[in-house]
Amino acid sequence: MSSVEVHQHIVSLLQKPNPVILDIGCNDGTDTQQFLSLCPQAQLYCFEPDPRAIARFKKKLGPSLYRVKLLEIAISDRNGMIDFHPSNADGDAKEWDLSGSIRRPKNHLTVYDWVRFDRPVSVETRRLDDWCSEAKLNTIDLIWMDVQGAEADVIAGGMQTLGNTRFVYTEYSDRELYEGQLSLQAILDLLPSFEVASHYPRAVEGDVLLKNTRF
């Protein structure tokens, strides 16, 4: 499946014109833009702590920026400040900001040895449950989560929210690219009310769409 086809498939499952979508780890807004194109009335909340990605997000969205809510924070298991490990590279991949994480890199350093991680920076972070409570969001249609190994942190701080979420799309890796990164089975163990709706594997890592069986 191409990226466009994945987004189209997910929007078809949501079956509503104005779904509430949380894009956690939105980076430059590529996925946000896809959802806006497919579902113009979507209520999109986008979270990103990396200043470089935030700048690209604002530039990419341009005149459509007013249609989404951009939160310049990380989502984790605590409120306050947290270390963020920004990624970088050299040559054609200079300013590579797609691998930054609140988790320290581990096997990523050898599996993708062309990516380096610069000195950690302190960024604001919030628990998903606390943020959603303040935003008065009772039901989430989709959480699109690309948090580079920090899935456990998002889940720990968002159990109530996840219980009220219809679908979760997340990346996973079974080779611990970041310290403490959850395998697919470990993610499923933490979310017993969810089942696999679609699986997009890439060797020992990939993406998965989970459906909440309570809905």
Side-chain angles (χ1 to χ4, degrees), residues 170-190:
T170 184
E171 191 176 41
Y172 70 88
S173 176
D174 294 335
R175 55 182 165 183
E176 203 178 355
L177 296 176
Y178 301 84
E179 290 182 3
Q181 181 173 17
L182 299 179
S183 65
L184 176 54
Q185 186 56 54
I187 291 173
L188 293 172
D189 290 344
L190 288 178

Side-chain angles (χ1 to χ4, degrees), residues 42 53-54 70 81 88 94 139 143 146 173 180 185 192 199 205 208:
I54 290 167
L70 174 61
M81 304 300 290
N88 215 322
K94 189 176 181 182
T139 301
I143 290 178
D146 189 355
S173 176
Q185 186 56 54
H199 190 194
E205 58 189 82
V208 66

Side-chain angles (χ1 to χ4, degrees), residues 63-76:
S64 297
L65 189 60
Y66 77 96
R67 297 169 58 195
V68 308
K69 178 71 172 175
L70 174 61
L71 294 308
E72 300 180 19
I73 61 175
I75 294 296
S76 73

Side-chain angles (χ1 to χ4, degrees), residues 7 24 37-38 57 90 114 125 128 134 150-151 173 182 198 208-209:
H7 288 77
I24 302 176
S37 175
L38 293 167
F57 183 102
D90 298 312
W114 55 274
T125 186
L128 186 58
E134 291 177 10
E151 296 80 18
S173 176
L182 299 179
S198 297
V208 66
L209 177 67

Side-chain angles (χ1 to χ4, degrees), residues 51-209:
R52 300 168 301 166
I54 290 167
R56 294 199 296 127
F57 183 102
K58 292 176 178 177
K59 184 176 181 180
K60 182 183 282 284
L61 270 290
S64 297
L65 189 60
Y66 77 96
R67 297 169 58 195
V68 308
K69 178 71 172 175
L70 174 61
L71 294 308
E72 300 180 19
I73 61 175
I75 294 296
S76 73
D77 60 350
R78 70 198 73 170
N79 296 318
M81 304 300 290
I82 197 168
D83 278 351
F84 178 80
H85 304 269
S87 64
N88 215 322
D90 298 312
D92 292 341
K94 189 176 181 182
E95 295 293 313
W96 176 267
D97 61 12
L98 293 169
S99 303
S101 177
I102 59 173
R103 290 275 178 154
R104 292 178 183 273
K106 187 177 177 181
N107 292 323
H108 201 294
L109 298 171
T110 52
V111 175
Y112 303 104
D113 59 1
W114 55 274
V115 177
R116 72 172 189 271
F117 290 84
D118 294 335
R119 182 176 299 175
V121 295
S122 186
V123 300
E124 183 182 352
T125 186
R126 295 296 311 279
R127 295 176 72 252
L128 186 58
D129 282 346
D130 294 332
W131 184 86
C132 284
S133 176
E134 291 177 10
K136 295 180 169 57
L137 294 179
N138 298 318
T139 301
I140 312 298
D141 293 295
L142 170 67
I143 290 178
W144 180 277
M145 182 164 63
D146 189 355
V147 293
Q148 301 299 304
E151 296 80 18
D153 304 277
V154 176
I155 292 170
M159 287 302 293
Q160 184 176 343
T161 300
L162 287 160
N164 298 318
T165 298
R166 296 171 59 207
F167 292 92
V168 172
Y169 181 97
T170 184
E171 191 176 41
Y172 70 88
S173 176
D174 294 335
R175 55 182 165 183
E176 203 178 355
L177 296 176
Y178 301 84
E179 290 182 3
Q181 181 173 17
L182 299 179
S183 65
L184 176 54
Q185 186 56 54
I187 291 173
L188 293 172
D189 290 344
L190 288 178
L191 301 172
S193 69
F194 284 82
E195 63 182 15
V196 176
S198 297
H199 190 194
Y200 315 95
R202 301 186 303 273
V204 294
E205 58 189 82
D207 302 286
V208 66
L209 177 67

